[in-house]
Amino acid sequence: MSEPETSGTHSSQPRPVRLRDALLRARIEAADRTGVVVDLRDAEVARLEILNDALDPLFAQVPEQIDLFDRGISQGDTPRLWIDVVAHIVMGRDKRMYRFVQDTRFGRIVLAESHDTSVIVEAVTDYVARRMIEREHAMVVPPEPKPEVAQPRRRSRVWPFVFGFVLGAAALFGLALLAALRSW
């Protein structure tokens, strides 16, 4: 494309802006904004890593056989420090405040919120203790009371014998009667 030439008589009018120049400026502005967003996300991840390091002594005390907790930092649009499947720590809107939240069937609830890592460490410690107690209660199954098994009544073996004897005698009497009536 050729650019329209401007005559020297109209020097006060701005030269027409080329689209390519506008796209270049827009790309530079987007890169600057993206750089700021990446810097903020890196700062969030760094603060979550500091908190993660502060939680190391707590999770060192959790017995090996308890596998409720799966701690780790997930990096995505919103970096999170996961404590277990339903609880995580995310940075607040100001990117300096820690927010400890738990997902429930009724929605997300905030368990603790503070700028201070020690407050969040204390809240996570309480949460871990409660989860361990819940696990203990779930693992203990109270013994079910066994229903009393009633012993079947022992039947006397005399009554079947008596019944068989009477039935046999009646049958013999009936045959004898039938034989006597025929011979008559």
Side-chain angles (χ1 to χ4, degrees):
M1 291 178 105
S2 65
E3 295 184 53
E5 294 182 9
T6 57
S7 63
T9 58
H10 300 113
S11 61
S12 64
Q13 291 182 349
R15 204 170 136 176
V17 177
R18 292 177 37 189
L19 179 60
R20 192 165 85 196
D21 294 337
L23 285 172
L24 180 61
R25 279 195 310 269
R27 284 191 180 116
I28 291 171
E29 289 171 5
D32 289 342
R33 282 192 305 267
T34 303
V36 169
V37 170
V38 168
D39 290 343
L40 285 174
R41 188 174 300 131
D42 289 345
E44 283 182 69
V45 170
R47 288 185 58 90
L48 289 173
E49 286 174 349
I50 290 169
L51 181 61
N52 193 23
D53 291 341
L55 289 171
D56 282 341
L58 166 67
F59 284 98
Q61 296 175 23
V62 175
E64 289 289 325
Q65 67 269 18
I66 295 178
D67 58 355
L68 287 174
F69 308 105
D70 192 20
R71 187 171 50 124
I73 296 175
S74 66
Q75 297 188 17
D77 289 340
T78 305
R80 294 182 173 129
L81 171 58
W82 290 93
I83 303 301
D84 62 6
V85 177
V86 296
H88 63 274
I89 299 165
V90 66
M91 299 306 296
R93 291 188 188 266
D94 66 353
K95 308 301 182 199
R96 291 178 297 171
M97 180 177 293
Y98 296 105
R99 182 175 290 148
F100 182 35
V101 297
Q102 180 182 15
D103 294 327
T104 66
R105 66 178 125 175
F106 304 113
R108 186 171 284 170
I109 58 172
V110 177
L111 299 175
E113 195 170 36
S114 177
H115 292 282
D116 189 15
T117 57
S118 62
V119 172
I120 299 300
V121 168
E122 185 66 30
V124 171
T125 303
D126 291 343
Y127 175 78
V128 167
R130 284 192 311 270
R131 291 285 295 183
M132 289 174 65
I133 296 299
E134 287 175 9
R135 179 184 181 273
E136 286 177 10
H137 287 291
M139 297 299 285
V140 174
V141 178
E144 293 183 24
K146 294 181 181 177
E148 290 185 26
V149 179
Q151 295 290 336
R153 266 184 42 199
R154 243 186 120 141
R155 295 183 183 168
S156 173
R157 295 183 189 171
V158 173
W159 291 111
F161 175 74
V162 171
F163 181 70
F165 183 75
V166 170
L167 191 62
L172 282 175
F173 179 73
L175 281 174
L177 185 62
L178 187 65
L181 287 177
R182 274 196 188 171
S183 64
W184 224 26

